[in-house]
Amino acid sequence: MNIGEKIKEIADKKNFSQKMIGDLINESQQSVGNDYKKLSLSIDKLLAYSSVLNHNFIQYYYNEEPFKTYREEENKDYQNEINFLKLQLSQTNQTIIIQGETIQTQKELISTQRALIESLSTTK
């Protein structure tokens, strides 16, 4: 992967000149041009370009170690959290269903009691 070419591609798509980018990251136009030719850049430079171009240039390293392992571990953690939240949601939905049934039963009981009271009132 030639990260410099990728940065140039994104910059061109967003109509950013080398000078504009250089001004935004406090580098010279020539430095930006040189970066476009590099196979790799420091993490600080990648973050600067990512910020200015609103594009995640680190993502191109996700399949390389150690990023690959870190991402897999993060994804496992996220999946565990998602599964836990799904379980909680399911339990909450079941509670809501039970409470709805209880409310319906209580309404029926109240209605029956009203009818009984009305029936007793009219027989007197």
Side-chain angles (χ1 to χ4, degrees), residues 59-114:
Q59 71 179 317
Y60 302 108
Y61 296 95
Y62 287 164
N63 289 327
E64 296 181 25
E65 290 299 339
F67 292 117
K68 182 178 179 180
T69 300
Y70 296 151
R71 296 238 339 137
E72 287 170 356
E73 289 173 7
E74 281 180 340
N75 287 338
K76 283 179 193 174
D77 290 343
Y78 291 143
Q79 191 59 52
N80 288 337
E81 187 172 344
I82 288 168
N83 290 338
F84 175 73
L85 292 171
K86 282 181 178 179
L87 177 62
Q88 280 187 317
L89 180 60
S90 175
Q91 291 171 342
T92 301
N93 285 338
Q94 188 62 35
T95 300
I96 290 169
I97 290 168
I98 291 168
Q99 288 175 343
E101 291 169 353
T102 301
I103 290 169
Q104 184 59 36
T105 302
Q106 289 173 339
K107 285 179 179 180
E108 290 170 6
L109 181 58
I110 290 169
S111 177
T112 303
Q113 288 176 342
R114 283 187 180 146

